[in-house]
Structure formats: C-alpha cells, structure tokens
C-alpha cells in the first residue's frame, strides 16, 4: 500500500481532512486517488512552495466530493483556469501567495461559500460574468486594494463576513450598501481610509452588526459613527479616540481607553454572555470624593462574579444581585459595608489586601459559601464562626494559629473542612488536620521542604503528595521520602534529571506514581527497566510523544501476559526502544573474526543500515542463514520499531539478539575508515571547512560517505537532514545518518523532532540537540548553514549542561549576540570557560553566577557585556587594567558587586549600568568621563558619584531607587543630558 493510503488516509477517515501541509510536494503523492472513498474531502496543501498548481488541480479534479482546498503559502502567482473543474468547492484558501489579479472565471465556482485571498498582491476585484450566489465569507486583508472603490460587491449577494484589513484604499465601494446580509465588516489597519465617508456609507447596510476599525488613524470621533445606529459591536483599538457618540444598540466595544462606569454598565446590562465584571475597562468612579461604583451596578442581571478593586464604598444596589455566586474584595478600604444579606447564592469569597473596620459580618451568614480565601487582610476573622458555616468546603488563609486550627481538627456538620495555609511556615497543628488528603509542595514557596516532608507522617488522612515542580528535589531523595510514608496512596513527581533511579520500582504501597518531565528541556526520559515489574497502572505517564513508546510497552506487558522479571525487563527495553539499555544487556554476538557461524537469524523490525535485502546478504556473508519464523531462529536481528507480536514470541523463545548497533560497530571495526584513525581530526576539520563554504555541501557529504562519521559529523548530518531546504541534500544527509547513527539517537530524533522547529529559535528545541551522541555546537553550526546563515548571527542558549560543551564551539560562525540563560551558578562553568574560543560581539547572561573568567572580559571583539544576576550571592569584578578591557558597554544588575571599585580602571566605557547592585557609594565612577549613559538605579545611594560635573558627554542618566533628587542632577549642569530616569529631561539651567 502507498504512503498516502496507509498514513494520510488513516487520519482523514473521520473528518475528511487530508493533511499534506509542508511536505515539500510538487504534485500529489502517489495513491492520492484513495481520497475518492471519502464522502467529504478537504485537501490542505499549504506550505508546499514548489507546488505545480496546474498539475495538482488537474489531479484533484478526479477526486469527487472535493469541498475544501487550501493552497496557502504555495507561491501561487496565477490561479489556473482548471480550478473551475472543482465545481463542488465550498471553501477555497489561496491566502499568503503572490496573486496580482483574480480571474473572472472564479465565478464558475457557484457552490463557493468561503474565499480566502488575504495577503496577496491584489489591487481590486474583477468584473464577474455572474454572481457567486452562496458566498458568505470573503477575506481580502493584506492586499493593497487600491482600486477597491471600483469593485462591484453586489456580485456576492449572500455575503455575511467581509475582511478588508491592511489595505491602501481611501473609499469603500458604493456597492457595499447592496450587501443586504452583511453582518461583520473588518477594516483594521487602513490608515488612508476616509472614516467619516465610510461610516455614512455603511449606515445603509441594515444588517451590519459588528464593525472593526482597529488602527485606522482615527483621532477624533467621526461624525459618521452617529449614523451607525444598527451596530451592536464596535472595535476601535489602536486609534487616538477617547470617546464615542451615543449608539443606542451598542452592547460591545473594544477600545484603548476606559469607559465611564454608568455608560459601560448600561451597555452590558442585557448581555447574558458577560457574567463577570472587569473594572479595568471603566474609569474610576467617585461620589462625594469616595471611590465607589454607580447605582446601576444593581442592574447587571447576568453577573455571577464581581470583583471590587481599590474601592472605598460598595453601592447598596449590589444587594439586588441575588444571582451572584462569586465575590472578591481586592485592596480597597471600607469604613462600613451596606446590607448584603440578599447575596444568599454566594459560594466563593476572596478577600485580598483589603482594609476593613471589622471582618464583614455578612460572610458569617452565607448559607451557600463553599470556599473562602483571606490574604493580607488587616482584620482577622473569627475562625470558630467560619468553621460553623454550613456549606464551607475549603478555607485558604495566610494568617492562622495553632489555636485557630483547633476548630478544624474535628468534623463540622459531619464533614471536614479543607484548610490551605499560604504562610511561609505551617503551624504545628496543621499536621494533625483530618481534612488534609492532598499535600502540594507547589503551594508553599518559602517552606522548609525537608522539615515539611518529615512531618507528613502525622497527617491522619494524607492520600496524595505532589512534589515541587519549579524547584524539584532529586528523584532519589523523593523516593527515600516516599519509602517513609507507607500510608500514602498517590504521588506526583517532577524529576529534574533525565534518568530515574531503579528504586522507583520499589514503592509497592503506592497505587499511582505520576511522572512529569519538562519535555522541552530533556527530550526522552530514561525509565529504568525495573519499572517493567511494577503493578499494572501503577506508573502513570503523560500522553506526550516522548512517552509514547513507554506507554505502548506497559500496555503490551499488561495485555500479553509476559512473565519473569528478567524477561519482562528485556521486553520492556525492546518495546520502549531503550536501545542504549539493550547494548548494555545483550552480549556481543560476533566471533573475533566477525562471524555468526551456524546462526539461524530472524530479522525483526526495520533495518536502517541498509535495505532488508542487503541486510540478508550481509548476514549470510558472515555465516548466518535467514529464517522466516522466530521459532526456527537461534538469533534475532533487532531493527527499529520491532512489533509487539515479535517481542511476545521472543519472550517465549530465548535466543541470542543481534542489535543493529552491533552490526554497525563490527562493520566500522573491519573497514577502519581513515576518518576514525589518527588523521581523522584533519578530515573532520576539512568537512567543517566545506560545510562553512558556499556550494561545498555535496562534497562534504561525499567525504563523510567514503570515510565514516564520528560524533561531530553525525551532528552535521542530523542538522542537515532536519533543517536543509534542499530536498536532495536533506535526503542524502538522512541516508548517511541512518547508516552511521545509533538506534538510540535515531529514535531520539524521531520522537523529539517537530516541523515547527524550522521556524524557531535554537533555545526552543534544545531537547533535540542535547543528546550524548550529538555535539551541540557542531549541530548548531550545521543548523545555521542549513538555514542559509553565512554571516554574523545571534545565538540563544538555555539551560545548557556542562556535559554538552565541546571545543566545537570554536567552529561556530561569528556571533553578533550570544544569550545564555541558566538556573544555577555552577551549571555553565565549562561554557563560560570556552567562550573565548568564539568570535563574539555582544554577550548577555541571565544566571546567578558569581564571576566571569578574566579571559572573557578580555575578548578583543567584544562590544558589550550584560549580566542579569538575580539569585547570585555576589558577583566579583576582576582586577583588570584599562588596556585589558576593550568593550565600551557594561550592564550588571540584580546582585551585590564585590570590588566594584575595579570598574574605575575601565575608563573607556561609554555605557555603564549598575542596577540593583547594593552599592555603598558610586564615587569609583568619578574618572569615567567618556560615559554617555549611566544607570545606577535601585542602589539606595545617598549621593551622586563625586566628580560627575566632568561627565560632559553624558546624555542619559537613571537614578531611581536612590536618595537622590532631580535637584541634585540639576546642580551638575551637565551640558548634554537629555534623558533622566527614562524620561525627557528638562534642563533648569
């Protein structure tokens, strides 16, 4: 069967959606005729830039039931006339192409309902020989549409939605008034449009309800808006408007300015879709100088949630909102509250940062209250009364004592109330609460984790423990704690390491162990084979690509009744594709001469070294015979994707396994390619030079093909296969990768790769190249070359372990800006040491480091160093003289500086930022007269640096967060100072 029928059609059966996006197609794949079996067909060919449009449309004409076709991003310059053969089309997407005109024969598609032509090069619409009677939705945004005014829109009598955003037209066609069914019109980003004339014209569109005019350069309220009496929804964001005229039917407005509260409430009072009140959309409202809400708040009949933010008085009419179920007080200060006894349906109350004269009495009277949250409140509640609330299920508070908790130690009204404490330390009585069934360490940021874990054994009904996700403990430590909690039933772990200890399998008292990894960082986690012997369903894994093989392995182990601990572990490795683990478990199968004498070999799975036919010949040359059944075999060759059936048969018929990696290693050993011998590094360097030279990639691949591949060259092959735009080069690199890469690496790439990586920054797919068999910098070099980068580039590195750093960093292309982000000080030690091997202009580091190697400070091409040091206990400035430091810009922030006076030697600095650095004084800056920018914010300094009168080049100064005033700056009489604290500086001299 063809690929189309076995893969594409399999996914299309349920919906009819034939997904052929970004497949590098020029014509439809072989077997496309199978789509004729579908009752409804939507073919999506978007992103195939080499598409032969005429040919493809002719191919599709043979497919009945074609109702939708997407050819966006395919480079189309002219619509083929053959499109009218697809007479049943209801939806046609030709967006993001290069169409300059729309041919009139488009009118032949009489069934068309949706036409997307946005982001082309259209100047207008053609004269159509006949209407498109069913067209309801027309997208023309992103075209110039300079001749739109001459277009006849009456040819679309059923049009309901019209998108004309991003054009260069000044007038709408008069025929727009003949669109009797037009409900939605989008005119965003039309800076040349004469809005008043357009609005007056649109007044004749009686069915128009939703109008969007974002970013249309509307600076005053156009008179024409008054004529739009039929409009119910209006979008005027990104304009200079600050008010609109009265529009009686308006129920929704999107704008950049807050609206008067009475107006806004009156507008939304009859909208059932608005169930919560957002005060940020309204202007502050006052009565008698007191911050409050208008009386018509009580008319908001559909609200079920309201938040009072920064108020001083609640209107009495709120008591009419009997339908409210959620009430929040955030900040604000209330001398008294009105009668709120009518709010009997309230189920959720939040009090945060609010000042009350006394804790609100009405809260104690709420019969339906289920959850109560109290934080940063100036008055404490009566917890005894809180505990007696008849429906209360959960209380969250940051201020509770052992005495308060006594009211919750015994069931109230026959149930236990859940108590969540958000304070830094938990009272001792908390560990006796019967309500605590789940303990989530993520809720306690400042807690002493080890102390809390040591106390959990006291909780009488603890059922579930959730470890910290942001600051995870080592998996081995978590497992040790779990072994001390024999009553625990469920746990959620967030391992910080890729490999989990085998002791995970030794927790029989737990019913469920849930594991979550950061897939973006780690790629495929390594579960120990011992977990094959856990109870069915005990280990719960996420439904993610990285877990797919593991989930399949557990399913087979459960359903196929494979027995025996060792047998199950071996089966687990085969099913989960733990090829690295298999290499450690399976003995070497070949004799010293590389033979398999007398072996009866069954080939399982898919070989990647060569074709199945060629593999048979190779094994026969080594003295083996090929058999067709496992039962007749003495040896089984293990390729990739071995079937569950084969694994089950192997479990009942012990044989010697021959791994594909075994055969590759034996072959390389015999052929001893020159590349892998003493002169190998020379040839690696030669391939690297070819890679970095335009037009020499085919020769580089030829060298690898003849000589073999080590870690660096395999990294080149992987990146070229995945990222190169030329199909021939990508295909050749793929073939060589399959030949030389291990099964484990190939599986890793299959699982972690996503087509979206081609358009993303390198720090967003680090899981792909952070693999022990890949050289990270070699991979990134080839990735940049495959993307067409041949000059300076930016390089983003995030959470790079020291084990991934190699000398290949010296081969990287010249870097304009290198950004490094890391959570720990020691995590990037090796990377920092290797930086001088690069050609680098700008260095940005976000990590709690305490020092930077002196060689980095002295890099000759460096122009800027920016260090964001939050979390560092202190950063040491190195003792370097003026001739040792060449860069003109320095930025340090977020950590105390040790020996800041050493900066004074770097008198060639033109920009110096020392923000939030716990400086005692800044007099050491006195001699730095070349400075054009100085930022010493947030240091609590008492005075400006001495000698600043000599800073006659300084144009920008920041002094916020210090005991320094603008008058102190005025006294300096700095001649070029133009910006103070990021605002225009008005000289007083």
């Amino acid at each position: 069967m063809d690929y189309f029928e076995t893969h594409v059609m399999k996914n299309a059966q349920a919906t009819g959606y034939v997904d052929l996006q970004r497949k590098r197609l020029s014509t439809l794949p072989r077997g496309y005729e199978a789509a004729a079996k579908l009752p409804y067909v939507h073919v999506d060919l978007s992103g195939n830039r080499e598409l032969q449009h005429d040919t493809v449309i002719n191919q599709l004409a043979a497919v009945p039931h074609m109702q939708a076709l997407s050819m966006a991003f395919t480079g189309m310059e002219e619509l083929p006339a053959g499109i009218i053969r697809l007479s049943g089309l209801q939806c046609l997407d030709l967006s993001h192409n290069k169409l300059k005109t729309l041919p009139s024969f488009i009118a032949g598609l009489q069934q068309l309902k949706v036409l997307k032509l946005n982001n082309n090069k259209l100047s207008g619409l053609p004269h159509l020989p006949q209407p498109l009677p069913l067209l309801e939705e027309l997208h023309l945004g992103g075209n110039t549409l300079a001749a739109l005014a001459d277009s006849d829109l009456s040819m679309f009598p059923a049009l309901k939605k019209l998108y004309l955003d991003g054009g260069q037209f000044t007038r709408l066609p008069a025929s727009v008034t003949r669109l009797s069914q037009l409900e939605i019109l989008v005119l965003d980003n039309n800076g040349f449009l004469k809005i008043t004339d357009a609005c007056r014209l649109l007044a004749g569109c009686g069915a128009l309800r939703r109008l969007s005019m974002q970013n249309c350069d509307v600076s005053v309220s156009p008179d024409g808006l008054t004529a739009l009496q039929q409009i119910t929804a209006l979008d005027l964001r990104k304009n200079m408007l600050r008010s609109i005229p009265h529009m009686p039917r308006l129920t929704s407005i999107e704008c950049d300015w807050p609206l008067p509260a009475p107006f806004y409430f009156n507008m939304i009072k009859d909208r059932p879709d608005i169930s919560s009140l957002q005060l940020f959309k309204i202007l502050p409202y006052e009565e008698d100088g007191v911050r409050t809400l208008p009386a018509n708040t009580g008319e908001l009949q559909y609200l079920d949630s309201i938040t009072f933010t920064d108020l001083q008085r609640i209107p009495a009419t709120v008591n009419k909102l009997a339908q409210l179920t959620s009430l929040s007080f955030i900040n604000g200060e209330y001398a008294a509250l009105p009668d709120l006894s009518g709010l009997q349906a309230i189920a959720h109350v939040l009090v945060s940062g609010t000042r009350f004269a006394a804790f609100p009495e009405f809260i104690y009277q709420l019969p339906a209250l289920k959850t109560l949250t109290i934080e940063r409140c100036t008055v404490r509640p009566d917890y005894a009364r809180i505990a007696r609330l008849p429906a209360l299920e959960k209380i969250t508070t940051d201020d509770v004592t052992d005495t308060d908790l006594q009211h919750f130690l015994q069931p109230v009204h026959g149930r236990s109330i859940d108590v969540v404490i958000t304070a830094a330390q938990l009272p001792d009585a908390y560990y006796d609460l019967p309500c605590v069934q789940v303990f989530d360490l993520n809720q306690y940021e400042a807690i002493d984790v080890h102390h809390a874990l040591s106390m959990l054994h006291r909780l009488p009904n603890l059922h579930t423990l959730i470890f910290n996700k942001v600051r995870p403990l080592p998996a081995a430590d978590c497992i040790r704690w779990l072994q001390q909690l024999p009553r625990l039933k469920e746990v959620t772990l967030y391992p910080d390491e890729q490999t989990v200890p085998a002791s995970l399998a030794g927790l029989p008292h737990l019913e469920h162990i849930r594991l979550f990894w950061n897939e973006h960082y780690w790629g495929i986690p390594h579960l120990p084979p011992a977990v094959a012997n856990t109870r069915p369903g005990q280990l719960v894994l996420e439904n993610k690509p990285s877990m797919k093989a593991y989930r399949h392995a557990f399913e087979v182990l459960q359903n196929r009744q494979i027995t025996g601990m060792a047998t199950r572990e071996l089966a687990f490795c085969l099913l989960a594709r733990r090829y690295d683990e298999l290499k450690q478990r399976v003995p070497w199968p070949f004799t010293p001469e590389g033979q398999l004498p007398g072996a009866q070999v069954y080939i399982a799975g898919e070989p990647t070294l060569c074709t199945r036919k060629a593999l048979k010949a190779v094994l026969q040359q080594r003295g083996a015979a090929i058999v067709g059944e496992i039962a007749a075999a003495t040896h089984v060759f293990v390729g990739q994707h071995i079937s569950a059936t084969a694994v089950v048969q192997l479990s009942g018929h012990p044989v010697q396994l021959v791994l594909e990696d075994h055969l590759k290693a034996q072959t390389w050993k015999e052929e001893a390619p020159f590349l892998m011998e003493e002169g190998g590094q020379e040839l690696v360097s030669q391939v690297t030079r070819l890679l970095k030279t335009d037009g020499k990639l085919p020769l580089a691949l030829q060298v690898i093909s003849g000589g073999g591949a080590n870690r660096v060259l395999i990294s080149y092959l992987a990146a070229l296969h995945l990222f190169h735009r030329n199909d021939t080069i990508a295909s050749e690199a793929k073939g060589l990768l399959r030949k030389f890469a291990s099964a484990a690496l190939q599986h890793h790439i299959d699982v972690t790769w996503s087509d979206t990586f081609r358009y993303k920054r390198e720090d967003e797919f680090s899981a792909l190249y952070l693999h022990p068999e890949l050289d990270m910098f070699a991979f990134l070099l080839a990735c940049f070359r495959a993307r067409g980068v041949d000059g300076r580039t930016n390089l983003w590195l995030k959470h790079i372990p020291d084990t991934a750093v190699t000398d290949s960093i010296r081969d990287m292309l010249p870097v304009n800006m290198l950004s490094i982000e890391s959570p720990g000080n020691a995590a990037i030690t090796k990377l920092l040491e290797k930086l001088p091997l690069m050609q680098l202009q700008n260095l940005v580091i976000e990590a709690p480091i305490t020092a930077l190697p002196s060689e980095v400070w002295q890099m000759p091409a460096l122009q800027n160093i920016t260090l964001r040091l939050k979390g560092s206990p202190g950063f040491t400035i190195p003792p370097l003289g003026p001739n040792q430091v060449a860069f003109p810009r320095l930025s340090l922030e977020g950590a105390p500086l040790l020996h800041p006076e050493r900066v004074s030697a770097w008198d060639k600095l033109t920009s110096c930022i020392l923000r939030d650095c716990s400086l005692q004084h800044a007099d050491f800056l006195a001699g730095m007269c070349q400075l054009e920018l100085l930022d010493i914010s947030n240091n609590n300094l008492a005075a400006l640096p001495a000698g600043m009168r000599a800073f006659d080049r300084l144009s920008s100064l920041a002094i916020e967060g210090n005991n320094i005033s603008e008058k102190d700056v005025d006294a300096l009489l700095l001649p070029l100072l133009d910006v103070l604290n990021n605002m225009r500086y008005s000289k007083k001299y």
Side-chain angles (χ1 to χ4, degrees), residues 4 97 99 121 194 224 261 304 360 368 506 538 545 616 770 819 858 915 952:
F4 187 92
N97 281 305
L99 295 172
K121 299 181 178 181
K194 297 178 180 178
D304 58 31
Q538 184 184 22
K616 290 180 180 179
L770 288 178
S819 174
Q858 300 177 70
R915 186 186 299 127
D952 54 5

Side-chain angles (χ1 to χ4, degrees), residues 66-191:
M66 270 289 299
Q67 296 186 35
L69 173 62
S70 301
M71 284 187 164
F73 295 100
T74 59
M76 181 183 292
E77 297 181 0
E78 185 177 337
L79 181 62
I83 194 73
I84 62 172
R85 297 177 62 191
L86 307 180
S87 57
L89 274 185
Q90 297 181 17
C91 178
L92 177 60
D93 184 356
L94 302 175
S95 61
H96 297 276
N97 281 305
K98 303 175 183 179
L99 295 172
K100 295 182 179 179
T101 59
L102 183 68
S104 59
F105 57 70
I106 193 76
L109 299 176
Q110 289 287 289
Q111 301 300 313
L112 208 58
K113 293 184 178 180
V114 178
L115 178 58
K116 296 183 179 182
L117 296 166
N118 48 294
N119 298 92
N120 277 281
K121 299 181 178 181
L122 301 175
S123 59
L125 294 173
H127 174 73
L128 300 182
Q130 59 180 332
L132 285 170
L134 302 180
L135 192 69
E136 298 179 352
E137 190 172 324
L138 178 59
H139 295 253
L140 292 170
N143 292 284
T144 61
L145 300 178
L148 178 68
D150 301 325
S151 301
D152 185 6
L153 296 179
S154 67
M155 303 306 285
F156 315 119
L159 201 63
K160 295 181 179 180
K161 301 177 182 178
L162 178 58
Y163 297 84
L164 298 173
D165 47 303
Q168 296 179 15
F169 51 90
T170 58
R171 294 185 297 115
L172 291 174
S175 56
V176 72
T177 59
R178 298 171 66 183
L179 298 176
S180 61
Q181 299 185 48
L182 185 65
E183 299 174 359
I184 297 174
L185 177 61
V186 176
L187 296 171
D188 300 344
N189 303 311
N190 281 297

Side-chain angles (χ1 to χ4, degrees), residues 770-899:
L770 288 178
H771 187 275
E773 296 181 44
L774 289 177
D775 184 304
M776 178 186 76
F777 290 107
F779 183 95
L780 291 175
L781 169 62
C783 176
F784 286 134
R785 294 297 290 139
R787 287 173 160 178
V789 177
D790 53 9
R792 286 194 174 273
T793 184
N794 293 333
L795 179 59
W796 305 79
L797 301 178
K798 187 174 182 179
H799 302 338
I800 303 300
D802 268 356
T803 53
V805 180
T806 67
D807 285 344
S808 295
I809 193 173
R810 72 170 75 247
D811 296 320
M812 291 296 295
L813 297 172
V815 173
N816 174 51
M817 189 275 295
L818 171 62
S819 174
I820 300 171
E821 183 178 341
S822 179
N825 176 29
I828 54 174
T829 303
K830 190 174 180 181
L831 177 59
L832 297 181
E833 291 173 353
K834 297 287 185 182
L835 287 183
L837 298 177
M838 301 183 72
Q839 299 179 54
L840 179 61
Q841 283 191 337
N842 297 281
L843 176 62
V844 179
I845 299 176
E846 187 169 342
I849 58 176
T850 57
L852 200 59
S854 60
E855 293 81 5
V856 175
W857 297 95
Q858 300 177 70
M859 292 174 67
L862 203 59
Q863 295 295 304
N864 171 61
I865 292 181
T866 297
L867 305 179
R868 301 185 183 106
L869 304 164
K870 184 177 180 180
S872 170
F875 183 83
T876 301
I877 303 293
L880 297 174
N883 296 326
Q884 296 175 285
V885 174
F887 57 86
R889 297 186 299 277
L890 173 67
S891 176
L892 305 174
E893 59 179 282
L897 295 187
L898 307 180
H899 301 292

